[in-house]
Amino acid sequence: MKHSNTTYVGMDVHKESITVSYISSSIDAEVIYLGPIGTRQCDIEKLIRRLQSKGTKLVFVYEAGPCGYVLHRYLTGKGFDCQVVAPSLIPRKSGDKVKTDRRDSSLLARLARSGDLTQVYVPAVEDEAIRDLCRAREDVMKDLKAGKLRLKSFLLRLGIQYTGKADWNAAHLRYLATVSCPTPAQKIVYQEYLRAVTDHMERLARLEEATKEMLPSWRLSPVVKAIQALRGVKEIVAVTTVAELGDITRFDTPRQLMAYLGLTPSEYSSGEKRRQGGITKTGNGHARKVIVEGS
């Protein structure tokens, strides 16, 4: 029996299982469903040995998701072609209302063969580590903002208001240290809210210090320094932007870069009418957020 040259393997990846389907590059070939397998390396090796008899070349495809790029790095380390694709850009029929793991894996295999999938950028391990550090800082900023709001809302319910010009400066912190609550229970609540804000501030300071310490040894450190020449772009904005973008040379034109950041204007034109709206806000929201703040 003569085998086709390429076998496309669609994988629907979950935390504890991977649902697998494959299809050969022959025009009249049908998708073959293999079923779920485990996520351990021995399970992946068993799958590879089983599929290598189907064709001389294996192309693995799975959607980007919460499981990250561990599977991609393992397969590419073995010398296989592995594509991580954008879930939001997968073509789907508008009338198809049935979604299962089997259908998803089969769809990935078919679209990989037809070339209708859009791959996402897979960062290097070192780049992803800096990106995780920047995203951890972003999470702390959200927690800090929520903690401050809870504290101010609690004091407002008690009729206690700060009359200074700015919040959370040295004068405001000294004022918070002198606040007295009417009852012992409310005093406990206030102390816990204040302690939460203080803890978040300390976490933020530690993460920013760690970022500054690791930045000089990062391979993209020169790029971080270079874009700080732009007005409004300081160290945190620069390192977050570069960490989210990764290798900027992967963008052929500035238009592609702006589209990735979601900074291009939206448009809905038909016939002679042309309608343009605000920015699309698609793509990488982490980088877009710091860029907007810097502007």
Side-chain angles (χ1 to χ4, degrees), residues 69 121-123 127-128 130-136 138 218 220 224 236-248 250-251 257 260-261 283-291:
Y69 308 113
Y121 171 71
V122 179
D127 298 347
E128 188 178 21
I130 299 296
R131 190 182 70 177
D132 288 340
L133 194 61
C134 294
R135 291 187 178 182
E138 183 179 341
W218 188 28
L220 296 178
V224 175
I236 295 299
V237 174
V239 69
T240 302
T241 303
V242 175
E244 295 294 339
L245 294 178
D247 185 7
I248 302 180
R250 62 193 177 97
F251 300 104
L257 175 60
Y260 176 78
L261 294 172
N284 194 302
H286 303 280
R288 181 173 62 254
K289 180 179 179 180
V290 295
I291 290 174

Side-chain angles (χ1 to χ4, degrees), residues 36-83:
I37 64 172
T39 57
R40 299 173 300 176
Q41 290 185 2
C42 60
D43 299 320
I44 305 300
E45 289 289 345
K46 184 177 179 180
L47 174 66
I48 292 173
R49 290 194 298 269
R50 183 177 180 181
L51 292 173
Q52 281 180 328
S53 62
K54 311 299 181 183
T56 57
K57 180 181 179 182
L58 296 177
V59 178
F60 295 89
V61 181
Y62 71 95
E63 298 179 31
C67 295
Y69 308 113
V70 176
L71 179 58
H72 173 273
R73 293 183 177 122
Y74 180 75
L75 290 172
T76 53
K78 291 287 185 179
F80 296 103
D81 184 2
C82 182
Q83 303 174 7

Side-chain angles (χ1 to χ4, degrees), residues 62-258:
Y62 71 95
E63 298 179 31
C67 295
Y69 308 113
V70 176
L71 179 58
H72 173 273
R73 293 183 177 122
Y74 180 75
L75 290 172
T76 53
K78 291 287 185 179
F80 296 103
D81 184 2
C82 182
Q83 303 174 7
V84 185
V85 301
S88 60
L89 299 179
I90 295 178
R92 299 184 186 274
K93 298 178 181 178
S94 59
D96 191 358
K97 302 300 181 182
V98 179
K99 183 185 184 303
T100 64
D101 294 346
R102 177 172 182 168
R103 283 173 173 254
D104 288 345
S105 62
S106 300
L107 179 64
L108 287 173
R110 286 198 303 268
L111 293 177
R113 185 182 66 171
S114 62
D116 292 326
L117 295 175
T118 302
Q119 296 188 50
V120 301
Y121 171 71
V122 179
V125 177
E126 297 79 7
D127 298 347
E128 188 178 21
I130 299 296
R131 190 182 70 177
D132 288 340
L133 194 61
C134 294
R135 291 187 178 182
R137 179 191 174 274
E138 183 179 341
D139 292 336
V140 173
M141 289 291 293
K142 293 178 181 178
D143 295 338
L144 178 59
K145 182 179 180 180
K148 289 178 176 180
L149 180 61
R150 293 190 189 100
L151 178 59
K152 293 177 67 176
S153 299
F154 175 72
L155 293 178
L156 183 61
R157 290 198 302 269
L158 300 182
I160 302 174
Q161 300 184 42
Y162 176 62
T163 58
K165 294 183 178 180
D167 290 344
W168 310 110
N169 56 10
H172 186 209
L173 294 177
R174 288 194 298 269
Y175 164 78
L176 292 175
T178 63
V179 170
S180 178
C181 297
T183 65
Q186 290 171 327
K187 181 179 180 180
I188 293 174
V189 174
Y190 171 71
Q191 290 175 345
E192 290 300 322
Y193 279 153
L194 183 59
R195 184 176 302 172
V197 172
T198 304
D199 291 343
H200 292 323
M201 287 182 172
E202 293 175 354
R203 289 171 57 199
L204 180 62
R206 289 195 300 268
L207 287 171
E208 290 181 348
E209 183 63 26
T211 303
K212 293 178 181 180
E213 291 178 357
M214 296 182 180
L215 183 58
S217 60
W218 188 28
R219 69 181 185 92
L220 296 178
S221 178
V223 183
V224 175
K225 294 180 179 179
I227 67 173
Q228 289 186 55
L230 299 174
R231 185 177 181 182
V233 177
K234 297 300 181 182
E235 190 172 54
I236 295 299
V237 174
V239 69
T240 302
T241 303
V242 175
E244 295 294 339
L245 294 178
D247 185 7
I248 302 180
T249 59
R250 62 193 177 97
F251 300 104
D252 296 330
T253 62
R255 186 183 297 273
Q256 292 182 358
L257 175 60
M258 293 299 102

